[in-house]
């Protein structure tokens, strides 16, 4: 990959809703309601990503789960990511 505008690797479970900002959560300004886990709760798990080369991105890796359903078992191997920022877990 070359000159990726945002993230080279992007795993985000907030695809239909706007998440609260981390700063608001930690300061107490945002109340985070944690819904009950049901059969409809999406899950990202057992993800394997390998042999990725990225020459230029704003951010290397972005991973964000839901308060009620964490992303788990992510395996990253043989990756070379040249980016302005490494990555954040949100």
């Amino acid at each position: 990959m070359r000159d990726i505008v945002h993230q080279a690797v992007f795993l985000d479970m907030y695809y239909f809703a706007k998440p609260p900002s981390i700063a608001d959560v930690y300061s107490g300004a945002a109340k985070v309601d944690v819904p009950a886990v049901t059969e409809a709760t999406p899950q990202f798990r057992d993800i394997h990503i390998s042999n990725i080369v990225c020459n230029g991105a704003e951010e290397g890796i972005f991973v964000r789960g839901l308060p009620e359903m964490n992303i788990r078992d992510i395996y990253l191997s043989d990756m070379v990511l040249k980016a302005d920022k490494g990555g954040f877990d949100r």
Side-chain angles (χ1 to χ4, degrees):
M1 298 183 284
R2 295 178 192 266
D3 303 322
I4 303 302
V5 175
H6 296 293
Q7 295 86 9
V9 176
F10 183 79
L11 300 170
D12 189 5
M13 293 189 66
Y14 275 98
Y15 47 88
F16 283 123
K18 183 178 183 214
S21 78
I22 293 298
D24 287 347
V25 170
Y26 284 125
S27 72
K31 183 175 179 334
V32 178
D33 293 324
V34 179
V37 174
T38 68
E39 292 178 4
T41 305
Q43 295 183 39
F44 286 0
R45 63 180 178 190
D46 198 24
I47 297 170
H48 297 255
I49 300 173
S50 62
N51 301 317
I52 301 291
V53 176
C54 176
N55 187 1
E58 178 183 339
E59 187 173 29
I61 300 172
F62 178 96
V63 177
R64 178 173 50 196
L66 296 171
E68 72 273 22
M69 183 62 69
N70 294 326
I71 296 174
R72 63 179 205 208
D73 301 327
I74 299 173
Y75 304 94
L76 308 172
S77 64
D78 301 320
M79 298 175 67
V80 178
L81 305 176
K82 185 176 180 180
D84 295 337
K85 295 183 271 182
F88 292 94
D89 63 355
R90 294 179 170 93

